[in-house]
Amino acid sequence: MDKDGLPRYSKTDEHAVGCYYGHRHRRFFRVAVALLLCYTVAQYWRPAGDVGRTSESLLSLERLKTDHAACSKLQSVPQDPTGLRERNARYLAGNKPVLIRNATVWTGEPAAGTSAEDAHSGKGYSWIHSDVYMEHGLIKRVELGISIASLPDDCEVWNANGRLLTSGIVDMHSHTGVDSLPNLRGSSDTNELSSDITPYVRSIDGLNPLDPQLQVIKSGGVTTSLILPGSGNNIGGEAFVIKHAVGKPDGRSEISAEDMLADPEKNWRYMKMACGENAKRVYGTLGRDFGPFSRLGEAWYFRHAFEQASTLVKAQDDWCAAADRRGAAKMPGYLPRELEWESLGAVLRGQVMVNTHCYTVPDLEAFVRHTNEFKFPVRAFHHAHQTYLVPEILKRAYGDRPPAAALFADNMYYKVESYTASEQAGKILYENGIVPVYVSDSPVLNAQHVVFEAAKAYRYGLPYHAALAGVTSASAELLGLGERIGKIKAGFDADVVVWDSDPLSVGAAPVQVWIDGTPQYVDPVELEKPAPEPLKPDVALANAVTEKTEKTSVIFSGVSSVLSPGDERQLVGNGRDNRVVVQEGVISCVGQCLDEVAAALSSGIKVVRLRNGHIVPPLTSFGTYLGLAEIAGEDITQDGENDENSFSAAVDGLLLDSKNLKAAYAHGVTRAISAPAFKHGDHKGISVGFSTGAVHAREKGAVWQDEVAVHYTLTPAARQGKTPSLSSAVSELRRKLFKAVASNETEADLSVEDTKLQAVVGGENLPLVIEVHSADIIASVLRLKEEVEAAMTAKSSSSGGLRLIIYGGAESHMLAPELATANVSVILAPVLAYSESWDQRRSLTGAPLTNGTAVDVLYAAEVKVALSTKEDWEARDLGLIAGIVHANSGGKISEAEAWRMVSSNIYDMLGLTTKSDRGEAEFCVYEGNPLEIDSRVVAVADGRGMVSVWA
Ligand SMILES: *[C@@H]1O[C@H](CO)[C@@H](O)[C@H](O)[C@H]1NC(C)=O
Ligand SMILES: *[C@@H]1O[C@H](CO)[C@@H](O)[C@H](O)[C@H]1NC(C)=O
Ligand SMILES: *[C@@H]1O[C@H](CO)[C@@H](O)[C@H](O)[C@H]1NC(C)=O
Ligand SMILES: *[C@@H]1O[C@H](CO)[C@@H](O)[C@H](O)[C@H]1NC(C)=O
């Protein structure tokens, strides 16, 4: 999936024709509109006393009066709607009152009497023991020991058994419903690319209430989303805040977008704008007579649009003032109206909350200039990766409050605009008085897990309460709905989630979700988890050292557990007494190590004191473009892409010392196995095994395996060139493998590909990795394996069978027993698939909708499984992904097993050993349990003799 729902980053823009004609039309239209406007204004501006009797007589008095009456509405500025209501306007008669008993509640507010300064630092916030009573779609009471006798007879009682309860999650950047999943051309309505300036289009006009993703997202506790148009245009159009309740099963009476509106009274309006690279990329193609081609052009397009809207607003205000003075009947013309500029006029009137996609300093600065030139506030900058560097620019924006920053926690580097970014952005912004909120940009991130973005923000140093606010109360407030949603408080909409664990812990899943007081699940799957305990906010996370030092010898004290590949010993007892001594790059002692410590101390070796230290094997990333590409949106930063005629070895194209690699390394991912890219997506060629910490490929230990596996793609990307269909792609692979079985190594003029395929079907047993998600194509691959193995047996060219690995595997769970029987391993990427594309539509999304995800089904069927990621930036989250898999396995996948899935399992599948030949230690030191959110990497040794320390 491309970022922002936009066309692929490519030189040829498939939308060129549509835009061109559309624009031509619009230019003519604009001239006509301008003329009309001039005419109307000229009519009005006739000298006083010469009020045209004749034209008046031609006008409808009724319409003049209606126009005059419209003035006050036109000029009104909305207030945030209050929480003081008898009932929620969304309440439907018949939905019963609910009492949730014995919950541990996060109200979203500090205790009464907490000073603003204390509240900012998190003082006064806590989880409280309470009952919650909901009636008429509202939260009515939040107090302990509510007696049933005081409630209506039809009240339903739901026992939370102490579990954690928060308000519904609010995602203020989503395209769900307009960018429906699975991604299909017929249901893609994200960007109106007929023109760069389209304030007049509205996301609600394309919003599909039947988008299955609306339900999947809700299953992550998300009850409210702001549905924005995409960011292909400088001005994208109007946005709408919806709730994720659709039709009868969700307690609604109808299936409609209108019924989903979070605020049926429509107090506020919302608009999406975007600056920077996107509009240039979509429109700025040489040979066209329009742009924008550059940021310079974008600024002009913005200003020109605001000028049109401003002209309309002034003409309207003048008309209204004159009508007030003279009476509507005496007006020489009607109230000027222009649908094209109406919504942008409303922006200038302060009726619309503007949300602008803006990454970089020049973009932020230009946009802030526009706000001051045309006097309108911007509510939040989205994708705002560079805001942490320039809070003072944000503070210069027009209006009485600086814009917020709507962020991803660690999705960065994918385009040049996000290449300057920081995991600490949320923390830094918060410290500088800018509100950070966390968003999914669904379908860019899996919005079901948008709360995981807030969790990672907490991990990266944003205070716990501010991280939770960043997906609840702060987002609600930025939507102007701060008295309605985002808190557990009497008078608020009854949007409530009860969680199976702290929402900021790894793998947190709702047990039940209520929207406007209606439970959304009849029979939700509830995972078996330890008794829920709120996390203890760890303020030390904010003090993480980001600069590393290199050591050959170092001592770690306060080690409470050591998990090494061969020796899975868990140290027990008083953690403070346990030490790990590293000398000259080799672990020389684990335990008390009194003698070693004394000797080491006398030679001045650094002691790193850990709180709850954990030592684990480092992580391996498999199958991304790490080491072969740096910025996804910038072709020149990449090795390039193989097509159907080319085939290469990644070792020949390694590009090291990159930001993505440094981030992976700093998160304990010391090794990566990457294969060359394939032109239309995914991979083709021979993968290389390398050390992420190496600066170049000739460094000692930089490349630890020249050729790891042969990779092919059988996703829809395979359908091109010589193999226009999936069936032809499968049969082409079959032809190549049969040829490899039939041929022999002494044959002359064998291509690299032929030679490697001979190694796949021959005694070397080189692994064959097929990138595929669809269960149907996995079935074809299993048949292919059988056929090729039969040929291999006939030729007796190999003792064993094919060493076959499925990479991707979103639908692999459907063939778990078959995969186990065929001895095929699976590397899941992504681990939590979400029906992004048609071939992944049968992904399991987990509790409360499904009992487990693909990993649980594969593991139960005894398929060898490993975990990886689809995108390069995500490699840094591998440890947490293992944590999610462990936490959500109902106790079936142990911590050690989950960790093997991101480390040693990959080597078992590939027939490789993890041991470095030189015996230098490879380990990763964490403070805190590496599978939990509040852990962080303190040191990494990657087997090349050095220990990198962040302490
Ligand atoms: C609340 O739930 C907890 C956890 O199940 C339980 O220990 C406690 O007794 C319950 N309290 C009440 C008042 O039911
Ligand atoms: C989920 O599946 C497992 C078997 O994999 C089973 O033990 C468990 O009871 C199931 N849970 C639910 C809620 O169906
Ligand atoms: C290998 O193939 C070549 C060309 O097809 C043939 O000349 C040669 O005899 C074969 N050698 C073996 C050992 O099969
Ligand atoms: C499964 O495949 C692996 C790797 O090819 C091989 O080592 C192992 O012997 C196979 N197991 C069975 C039961 O065929």
Side-chain angles (χ1 to χ4, degrees), residues 33 123 131 180 187 285 353 358 441 569 687 720 844 851:
V33 164
K123 289 190 192 126
D131 300 343
S180 295
S187 54
T285 302
M353 295 190 164
C358 243
D441 194 9
R569 176 159 43 127
S687 49
Q720 52 84 46
L844 294 179
N851 185 7

Side-chain angles (χ1 to χ4, degrees), residues 50-66:
D50 179 27
V51 177
R53 287 288 110 201
T54 52
S55 64
E56 185 194 352
S57 63
L58 292 175
L59 299 178
S60 149
L61 183 60
E62 201 180 330
R63 186 169 156 200
L64 288 169
K65 284 184 173 160
T66 314

Side-chain angles (χ1 to χ4, degrees), residues 102 129 161-162:
N102 193 12
H129 191 202
N161 284 321

